[in-house]
Amino acid sequence: MTGGPGSSPLFLLLLTGALSGARSRALGAYDGNASVSSACTPGFSADGYTALVSPNIMEGQKLLKVKFNGCSSGAQGIWYETNNPDFKVGADGAVYTAREVQIPAKQAKFIVAAWDHETPEKWEAAIQLFVEETPLNQSQYQTGSQSQESEQEQSQSGTLLPWRQHHKGLRRQKRDWVIPPVNVPENSRGPFPQQLVLIRSDKDRDDTIRYSITGVGADQPPMAIFNIDPIFGRMNVTRPLDREERSSYHLRAHAVDINGNKVENPIDLSIYVIDMNDNRPEFSSPIFNGSVDEASKPGTYVMTVTAHDADDINTSNGIVMYRIMDQSPQSPSHDMFVIHSKTGVINTVAAGLDREKVQQYTVVIQATDMEGNLNHGLSNTATAIITVADVNDNPPEFTRKMFIGEVPENHVDVVVANLTVVDRDQPYTSNWNAVFKIISGDPDGHFTIKTDPVTNEGIVTVSKPVDYEMSKVFPLIVMVTNQAPLASGIQMSLQSTAAVTVSVNDVNEAPYFPNRNEPIRKLEGESAGRLLITFSAVDPDHSMQQVLRYSKISDPANWLAINTTNGQVSTTAVLDRESPFVKDDLYQAKFLATDNGNPPASGTGTLLIQLIDINDNAPELLPKDAQICERPNGNGINITAIDVDRKPSADPFVFELPSVPYTIRRNWTIHRINSIYARLSLQIGYLESGMYDVPVIVTDSGNPPLYNTSIIKVKVCPCDNNGDCTTIGAVAAAGLGTGAIISILICIIILLSMVLLFVMWMKRREKERHTKQLLIDPEDDVRDNILKYDEEGGGEEDQDYDLSQLQQPETLDHVLNKVAGVRRVDERPVGAEHQYPIRPVIPHPGDIGDFITEGLRAADNDPTAPPYDSLLVFDYEGSGSTAGSVSSLNSSSSEDQDFDYLNDWGPRFKKLADMYGGADED
């Protein structure tokens, strides 16, 4: 391969023409001798641009200019953008600052991208801004002449130079070439592997070169999608690609010698998967739900449907358009709705939505890609269910113009009438729920109307009792509305008002006593038989002409009587204000009035009598008993007067001593302290100890005044230095002589002596019980095992016993069925057993003899005790005893038996050992 002067190409990159459906980007043809023919390649004039800037850049300052070659269109139809919002690119490629920028580091980097309006592809170039440290005389940005010079050199060489070339003696370096991306259509049918590009180095003429690729799709997952011939540099794709799985691959090509040494710097390869229309639009949901108010105007928003196409949205393959295929029902028009073809927004297009006629519409929506081209695009459908929401466009109406009801008087919570209405709006909503209001005919509020939540009827009830004698008929006018206001433009119907006629039925009402808040005032002391008042009742049923009868319900003091026919109340006893039945001067009695209706009715009334106090009670003195020293010491007896009457018939009181007998005023004196208190004291210098009755006359202030003579029992006694009566003196003053006191003391001593003697006798008796000797020798004491011994006659050898009888029989039928008088002597008699005495848990030593004697007497008198030579039944342990027969235990007749082993059984068997163990020695 030959190149132009000054060029030494490293790689030859050849794009094959076998990529169907993709725009061919051939950079040259390699024939071994010929040059690579040049063609127009859209792209930036350089892969990167640099500029020197100051650390602080003002807004709108121009930094540099990029140049993009759009081939056919030139500079027109090119759009630029950056990935950094601090910078922007003009239509001529000039780069400006979008705002005031401060560069904190030594450099800043960002990307400028460009689009050609004829192709959907994008090209990028890197921008590097270096912070200026020293003043420069050169331009701060790279001029376009450098790009032109590079392009001229490239065109002269006739070879693609993907990497930077190094030339000795040159003052500057040539820029890197960006290898145009390779476009591969997705879903290619092959055959595979399919060659994409041919990569060659111009050094392969002198050395053996090995080529390789790295990156995602080559040596990284997903692996082996791309491979390269290591010798010839042919890069292939091994299988069909899917853009929806991955839209691009970025690989790096490497060239090394046979020893693995790097021959060239790696170059980047970008492979873009070209989208094919292989995906239908998919709705986000198969069913969309929306609603719109009835009577909505055309153009009202209803809902939005959305569909997504997995194909490239920047191509027609991914651009989805919507349309309505069908509407059901088609009433009142077949085109009630319209859909925006690009956004999927559904609006109303016609008027006439009426929920009462059509409550729901079903609309079939179709989404088609290829910008809605039905011939070339793929389609999908979804269903939009549009519910017509109710508005209050139908006022409620009564089913009749007049309703009739009746109610008994004096009753509440009674249903008078049911008012039925109709409303064509949606049931159980605020547009349907009825609200009733009485607009006339009930000024006092006797009736209320509640709404039945199920039937929507108005229930007229009585909230305040009605009186037949006051009003026999109530003509009501009722209006019905909804909870929600009527929609705009809707008027109330004439049927929204109705008349309700309520008739009141007369009933027998109970008589009542006129309200007497004020009590009648009467002087206490009124004698029996005096007329107090005519306490008559009123019958509200005037037209019935009924007769009333009176009776008494409550009269705590039984002072009153009432005439049964006219209600006159008179006294039967003297009225007494001081009675316990009078509270705060008020006496209360209750009476009953009953008419002769059918059924009869009755009412109660309370009569309050306020009793006016008169001076009918004399005052009393307190205390009744007192004591005072026999010699005057300045302390007297404070007495007070009480009077159940009230002022002015009570205090102030007058206290005085009677003149007879004369000794009263000689020995005593009384001084008034205040209106109710006085002090009684000794008049003489000494008064002998004893009990004295001192009469005191106390007089109240009534008109006429009343007085009372009260006797105060005064105990005169000798006192100590503190002025208090001594104990002996108090006793003496009580009237007991010395002999009486001595007698009392003797009685107390005798009583104590008797108690002491009784205690000593009890202790002695207890001691005798503890010291009582046992009936048996302590050594032979068998209190722990009280045994009952019976004579058993001869041994087993002397008797012919049936040992099977030792076992308790299963039942007693054979015994109970025997003939009376026939009984075996070796069987236990059937009948009530005798109760033996129970031994105390902790017996007293002296009681053992008594216990044995009682047990012996009980055994002798026991009719169920077995006779001599009979089998003794001790306890029944059940049938089938595990013990063997005792018949083998024969009595020993040998005289040579040795009992010496008893000596080894301990002290309890010492007696037996002495008796039998020493027989041989004797």
Side-chain angles (χ1 to χ4, degrees):
M1 179 188 305
T2 60
S7 65
S8 176
L10 301 178
F11 273 116
L12 174 68
L13 183 140
L14 180 65
L15 288 170
T16 62
L19 303 178
S20 61
R23 177 176 296 177
S24 176
R25 299 182 180 278
L27 300 180
Y30 177 67
D31 57 3
N33 297 320
S35 300
V36 180
S37 61
S38 62
C40 177
T41 302
F44 285 98
S45 61
D47 292 340
Y49 299 87
T50 61
L52 292 174
V53 297
S54 61
N56 297 318
I57 308 174
M58 301 301 294
E59 179 182 355
Q61 181 176 342
K62 182 177 180 182
L63 304 178
L64 54 87
K65 186 175 183 180
V66 298
K67 183 178 180 182
F68 181 81
N69 183 14
C71 292
S72 60
S73 61
Q76 297 181 353
I78 304 301
W79 291 274
Y80 297 95
E81 72 172 9
T82 67
N83 65 346
N84 192 330
D86 292 335
F87 304 95
K88 60 183 179 179
V89 184
D92 57 349
V95 181
Y96 300 90
T97 55
R99 59 177 66 90
E100 184 177 351
V101 179
Q102 183 178 6
I103 302 177
K106 293 183 179 181
Q107 63 178 355
K109 295 181 180 180
F110 59 92
I111 302 297
V112 174
W115 283 273
D116 188 346
H117 74 283
E118 295 184 354
T119 63
E121 300 179 31
K122 180 174 70 172
W123 288 265
E124 296 179 349
I127 306 297
Q128 277 187 307
L129 302 179
F130 294 96
V131 178
E132 180 181 8
E133 296 181 356
T134 58
L136 297 176
N137 296 326
Q138 302 176 3
S139 173
Q140 291 184 352
Y141 58 90
Q142 188 177 11
T143 61
S145 61
Q146 292 176 328
S147 300
Q148 295 175 358
E149 182 180 357
S150 299
E151 293 174 359
Q152 291 174 359
E153 293 178 357
Q154 176 64 28
S155 62
Q156 290 175 0
S157 67
T159 305
L160 293 175
L161 301 177
W163 287 284
R164 180 174 296 164
Q165 304 297 312
H166 302 276
H167 301 280
K168 295 181 180 180
L170 296 178
R171 295 182 179 178
R172 63 182 178 85
Q173 293 180 338
K174 293 175 62 76
R175 61 178 173 81
D176 286 344
W177 279 61
V178 177
I179 298 180
V182 178
N183 295 327
V184 180
E186 65 173 334
N187 304 325
S188 175
R189 296 184 179 181
F192 297 100
Q194 185 178 23
Q195 181 175 333
L196 299 181
V197 295
L198 178 63
I199 302 175
R200 295 294 300 275
S201 173
D202 58 355
K203 294 182 180 181
D204 62 354
R205 290 174 296 182
D206 301 327
D207 298 323
T208 301
I209 304 300
R210 293 293 183 265
Y211 303 98
S212 64
I213 57 175
T214 59
V216 176
D219 61 344
Q220 299 178 19
M223 302 174 64
I225 295 179
F226 304 97
N227 60 24
I228 190 171
D229 190 328
I231 298 176
F232 298 103
R234 297 187 185 92
M235 191 179 77
N236 305 312
V237 60
T238 61
R239 65 188 186 194
L241 302 180
D242 189 353
R243 192 201 68 85
E244 286 70 45
E245 292 182 0
R246 192 176 184 89
S247 60
S248 63
Y249 298 87
H250 300 279
L251 307 176
R252 303 199 82 184
H254 306 270
V256 298
D257 58 15
I258 58 175
N259 295 322
N261 298 322
K262 181 175 68 173
V263 177
E264 302 288 355
N265 292 327
I267 62 172
D268 294 328
L269 283 174
S270 295
I271 301 172
Y272 292 99
V273 183
I274 300 176
D275 181 50
M276 306 295 290
N277 190 20
D278 57 344
N279 291 280
R280 293 180 180 274
E282 295 292 339
F283 283 94
S284 58
S285 174
I287 298 176
F288 295 86
N289 292 287
S291 64
V292 62
D293 291 340
E294 62 176 329
S296 295
K297 297 179 179 180
T300 302
Y301 172 81
V302 179
M303 60 190 302
T304 300
V305 296
T306 56
H308 174 71
D309 197 313
D311 293 325
D312 190 357
I313 60 174
N314 296 318
T315 65
S316 298
N317 298 334
I319 299 177
V320 179
M321 296 292 184
Y322 304 92
R323 73 185 186 96
I324 295 178
M325 296 182 61
D326 183 52
Q327 169 195 308
S328 176
Q330 297 182 357
S331 172
S333 171
H334 63 280
D335 292 326
M336 294 297 296
F337 306 97
V338 66
I339 187 170
H340 194 280
S341 60
K342 293 183 179 180
T343 61
V345 175
I346 299 177
N347 298 90
T348 59
V349 72
L353 291 174
D354 190 351
R355 191 204 65 85
E356 287 71 39
K357 294 180 179 179
V358 179
Q359 299 183 2
Q360 191 178 82
Y361 289 90
T362 301
V363 179
V364 178
I365 309 298
Q366 183 184 52
T368 307
D369 58 16
M370 296 300 291
E371 301 185 49
N373 191 323
L374 298 177
N375 295 326
H376 301 91
L378 302 177
S379 300
N380 208 341
T381 60
T383 302
I385 298 177
I386 302 174
T387 301
V388 181
D390 182 49
V391 297
N392 195 11
D393 58 345
N394 294 282
E397 297 178 348
F398 285 102
T399 58
R400 292 184 296 170
K401 292 297 294 181
M402 178 174 290
F403 296 87
I404 299 175
E406 60 181 18
V407 58
E409 63 174 336
N410 300 324
H411 286 70
V412 294
D413 297 329
V414 178
V415 176
V416 178
N418 291 343
L419 311 181
T420 56
V421 296
V422 293
D423 195 321
R424 290 175 296 178
D425 290 321
Q426 186 173 357
Y428 308 109
T429 63
S430 59
N431 298 331
W432 179 81
N433 294 334
V435 177
F436 298 89
K437 181 181 180 181
I438 300 175
I439 59 177
S440 67
D442 185 22
D444 297 327
H446 290 282
F447 303 95
T448 58
I449 305 178
K450 299 179 181 179
T451 304
D452 189 315
V454 178
T455 62
N456 211 29
E457 294 180 353
I459 302 175
V460 183
T461 58
V462 180
S463 59
K464 185 186 298 185
V466 295
D467 190 353
Y468 174 82
E469 285 71 28
M470 298 296 295
S471 180
K472 298 178 176 58
V473 177
F474 288 87
L476 307 180
I477 302 299
V478 180
M479 180 178 65
V480 60
T481 58
N482 291 124
Q483 290 180 350
L486 290 175
S488 178
I490 304 300
Q491 301 295 328
M492 289 293 295
S493 172
L494 296 177
Q495 294 294 114
S496 297
T497 57
V500 180
T501 302
V502 180
S503 300
V504 181
N505 296 331
D506 188 20
V507 297
N508 185 22
E509 299 177 75
Y512 66 93
F513 290 87
N515 188 17
R516 293 184 179 272
N517 294 325
E518 294 296 330
I520 62 173
R521 296 170 58 86
K522 295 294 180 180
L523 289 174
E524 67 171 329
E526 288 281 358
S527 60
R530 297 290 298 275
L531 176 63
L532 297 181
I533 190 175
T534 300
F535 197 58
S536 59
V538 177
D539 190 354
D541 298 316
H542 306 295
S543 59
M544 294 185 180
Q545 300 296 324
Q546 299 180 128
V547 178
L548 299 182
R549 295 291 179 179
Y550 300 92
S551 61
K552 184 171 63 174
I553 297 178
S554 173
D555 182 12
N558 200 21
W559 289 342
L560 306 175
I562 188 170
N563 190 292
T564 59
T565 57
N566 57 20
Q568 291 182 351
V569 178
S570 58
T571 60
T572 59
V574 177
L575 304 182
D576 186 5
R577 190 194 66 85
E578 290 73 32
S579 172
F581 301 106
V582 178
K583 305 297 182 183
D584 297 330
D585 298 342
L586 289 178
Y587 181 75
Q588 178 176 296
K590 291 184 179 180
F591 298 95
L592 178 71
T594 307
D595 61 20
N596 59 347
N598 187 16
S602 60
T604 60
T606 300
L607 176 62
L608 296 178
I609 304 174
Q610 183 178 9
L611 296 177
I612 302 173
D613 185 36
I614 62 175
N615 192 15
D616 58 345
N617 293 279
E620 295 287 338
L621 285 179
L622 291 177
K624 299 295 185 181
D625 299 309
Q627 66 180 12
I628 193 170
C629 294
E630 59 187 2
R631 298 183 183 275
N633 56 2
N635 296 329
I637 301 173
N638 291 332
I639 59 177
T640 181
I642 57 174
D643 194 334
V644 295
D645 293 327
R646 292 188 176 183
K647 287 185 176 182
S649 299
D651 61 295
F653 300 106
V654 176
F655 303 89
E656 58 183 345
L657 296 175
S659 58
V660 178
Y662 72 96
T663 56
I664 298 300
R665 292 193 175 185
R666 184 196 66 183
N667 297 337
W668 305 93
T669 181
I670 190 167
H671 301 282
R672 178 178 170 182
I673 299 175
N674 55 27
S675 61
I676 61 175
Y677 286 99
R679 177 171 296 174
L680 179 65
S681 59
L682 286 175
Q683 177 75 14
I684 60 178
Y686 171 80
L687 185 63
E688 184 181 357
S689 299
M691 295 296 296
Y692 295 88
D693 291 337
V694 180
V696 177
I697 301 173
V698 57
T699 306
D700 60 20
S701 298
N703 186 17
L706 296 179
Y707 69 93
N708 183 29
T709 301
S710 298
I711 304 300
I712 301 177
K713 292 184 177 295
V714 180
K715 182 190 301 181
V716 179
C717 60
C719 297
D720 55 16
N721 296 330
N722 297 325
D724 298 326
C725 287
T726 60
T727 304
I728 298 177
V731 173
L736 295 178
T738 304
I741 296 175
I742 294 174
S743 300
I744 293 174
L745 292 177
I746 291 174
C747 292
I748 294 174
I749 293 173
I750 293 173
L751 181 61
L752 293 177
S753 300
M754 293 177 64
V755 173
L756 181 60
L757 291 174
F758 179 76
V759 172
M760 293 175 62
W761 178 77
M762 289 297 294
K763 288 186 176 181
R764 180 179 180 85
R765 186 176 182 276
E766 186 72 16
K767 184 176 180 180
E768 290 177 355
R769 291 172 61 88
H770 282 286
T771 57
K772 187 176 181 180
Q773 296 295 327
L774 296 176
L775 297 178
I776 59 177
D777 188 63
E779 184 176 271
D780 296 332
D781 186 7
V782 290
R783 285 176 295 171
D784 291 342
N785 295 287
I786 303 300
L787 303 177
K788 175 183 176 183
Y789 293 94
D790 288 325
E791 220 174 302
E792 297 184 357
E796 294 180 9
E797 295 178 353
D798 300 336
Q799 304 291 337
D800 186 13
Y801 285 116
D802 183 7
L803 296 179
S804 63
Q805 297 300 322
L806 293 176
Q807 298 181 357
Q808 181 75 12
E810 295 286 340
T811 64
L812 299 176
D813 294 341
H814 66 287
V815 178
L816 299 175
N817 296 330
K818 285 184 177 182
V819 180
V822 180
R823 178 176 176 271
R824 287 176 53 178
V825 296
D826 56 351
E827 287 184 351
R828 184 178 181 178
V830 178
E833 295 187 0
H834 191 72
Q835 297 297 324
Y836 285 83
I838 300 175
R839 179 186 176 185
V841 178
I842 304 177
H844 191 278
D847 296 338
I848 294 179
D850 297 339
F851 177 76
I852 295 175
T853 302
E854 292 177 3
L856 179 61
R857 183 170 58 254
D860 292 342
N861 298 325
D862 186 3
T864 63
Y868 294 116
D869 299 334
S870 63
L871 297 178
L872 299 178
V873 181
F874 292 98
D875 197 4
Y876 176 59
E877 298 182 356
S879 62
S881 174
T882 58
S885 174
V886 298
S887 61
S888 61
L889 302 176
N890 296 326
S891 301
S892 176
S893 60
S894 175
E895 297 295 338
D896 299 332
Q897 187 172 358
D898 186 10
F899 292 98
D900 292 340
Y901 58 87
L902 294 175
N903 295 319
D904 300 332
W905 285 12
R908 289 182 179 272
F909 296 89
K910 184 176 182 305
K911 193 76 171 178
L912 291 177
D914 293 343
M915 295 173 61
Y916 295 96
D920 295 341
E921 296 178 0
D922 295 339

